[in-house]
Amino acid sequence: MEKISKQVLAAVAAGSLWWPPGQVAAAVDTEGVASMQQEIESLRQRLVVMEKKLAQAEKKEGAGGKKEKKQEPKLLWSGSAKTGYMYDDKKAGKFKAEIRLNALTKVDGKYDVGLGVKFKSTSAEPVAGKYPAEKNKIKLDQAYVGRSFGPVQIKAGVQNVALGEGLWLSKASVNQLTVKYVMDKYGSLYAGYGRDSQDYLVNDVNKQEPPTRSRLLKFVQFQHEFSQDNYLGIYYGTQQPERYLGIFGRIEQNGKWGGMAEYICDLNRDKFGREHGYGYDSFGNAEITKGMLLGVNYGKAKKKGTCGISLEYLNVDQNLFMNDNYTAWDDCLSEDGFKGGGMVFDYAASDHTKLSLQRYWGDTKPSAANRKGGTGSSLTKEGRGFTYLKFTAKF
């Protein structure tokens, strides 16, 4: 305030220097020194009032600028729908339809909340005079809360979990506490602890037996990224009582050619009979079971008019899995094993729709040491091939 008042007085004084001497003298004689002092005091008081108003306005504006605006949660919807027809080597046909609805929102700008529901319908054609039951089911795919702390992301609840290329584990509706730590632009750690999915088996009114129990599921995975879509990784996990150790990798060249591989072994040698969906139908082989997946691909069906083709080879021992509910290759894999190959052709009908044709050839891979119920006869090798035509739309 004093600084501004001095500047005003200096301006008045400087201005007076430009007045002609005669006029200055006349002004002094006419108005007098007292009159000039009164005007200067009045001007000073006005400046004081203006400075106070300016300070109040600046204080109010500063407080308003620092105040964080309340972020209203925004709900983002996504999902997919697919329908298709599958025909296997046993001349059995199935009509399949499925729709997923997912919702994601961010609460208070910190917490991610996800919800997903899956609706599935399967209608099988009669085979050898038998009429399979219609299946119309609903499943909770996702229901989790997550938060990120810099390079660490934590999720708790029902969520999607995938390891490697999905030979062992690629599943939604898994109840887990997961932590992902991005170490740098090349390496990441992913770990989880909880229960596996009960899938559709719980409360199945078509079976006169207690519901299937979920199993303890825990894992840790390390993945090293060489570049986008080029990586190598290793994981270890347990799905009670199974203990898996696996390695995997993928490579992409020029955005067209690519390849992927995964090798897994189950270190659990203690196989036992099935009871209420828990255990093995055939057992007796105490050796470590193994599985391998190899694949090559050319092109990708992403934008309208583009297409892609991939060739795959699988060699999976019997009892590598207790059931086929968790592998991404559940259409051809089961606890009976599988050895064979497949071809997948995809065509993008639009930017968000895709037509796919899958054809797999192969046989089950039973072990001669495994017996039905532990004491019965061993399983014989059976053909397990199928053709699957499906249409998928994502939104």
Side-chain angles (χ1 to χ4, degrees), residues 233-360:
I234 184 172
Y235 62 80
Y236 175 78
T238 65
Q239 188 177 12
Q240 184 184 13
E242 297 155 340
R243 294 177 288 120
Y244 294 112
L245 178 64
I247 57 174
F248 62 93
R250 178 177 288 270
I251 185 172
E252 294 285 344
Q253 294 292 327
N254 303 321
K256 293 183 178 180
W257 287 101
M260 57 90 173
E262 183 171 354
Y263 180 82
I264 182 175
C265 57
D266 180 9
L267 304 178
N268 174 45
R269 298 171 182 264
D270 182 19
K271 311 294 184 179
F272 46 85
R274 185 183 300 273
E275 183 178 358
H276 305 316
Y278 181 69
Y280 307 84
D281 286 332
S282 297
F283 55 95
N285 187 354
E287 297 180 357
I288 292 176
T289 52
K290 301 172 290 294
M292 178 175 61
L293 165 67
L294 298 173
V296 294
N297 65 276
Y298 179 79
K300 293 182 179 180
K302 287 189 173 181
K303 296 183 179 181
K304 181 180 179 180
T306 59
C307 60
I309 186 171
S310 61
L311 300 175
E312 299 169 353
Y313 171 76
L314 295 105
N315 189 345
V316 177
D317 292 339
Q318 183 184 20
N319 288 346
L320 178 64
F321 312 120
M322 187 176 289
N323 57 57
D324 57 2
N325 292 334
Y326 301 90
T327 176
W329 277 263
D330 57 335
D331 286 330
C332 57
L333 288 183
S334 71
E335 60 269 27
D336 296 334
F338 180 83
K339 184 178 181 180
M343 179 193 72
V344 181
F345 176 79
D346 296 322
Y347 172 76
S350 69
D351 290 345
H352 299 93
T353 60
K354 182 172 64 175
L355 182 65
S356 301
L357 176 63
Q358 300 178 2
R359 173 58 180 162
Y360 281 81

Side-chain angles (χ1 to χ4, degrees), residues 92-136:
K94 294 180 181 179
F95 292 92
K96 294 185 174 184
E98 176 186 300
I99 186 168
R100 295 176 185 264
L101 295 176
N102 301 315
L104 177 65
T105 186
K106 186 174 285 293
V107 179
D108 295 334
K110 299 178 181 179
Y111 299 93
D112 295 317
V113 179
L115 173 66
V117 181
K118 176 182 176 181
F119 304 85
K120 185 176 182 179
S121 174
T122 303
S123 300
E125 295 179 333
V127 179
K130 296 182 180 180
Y131 292 83
E134 303 286 332
K135 297 180 180 179
N136 295 283

Side-chain angles (χ1 to χ4, degrees), residues 1 4 45-59:
M1 182 178 68
I4 296 178
Q45 292 178 359
R46 291 177 61 189
L47 287 173
V48 171
V49 173
M50 293 177 66
E51 286 179 345
K52 289 182 177 179
K53 291 182 178 180
L54 179 61
Q56 292 176 355
E58 290 178 346
K59 184 177 180 181

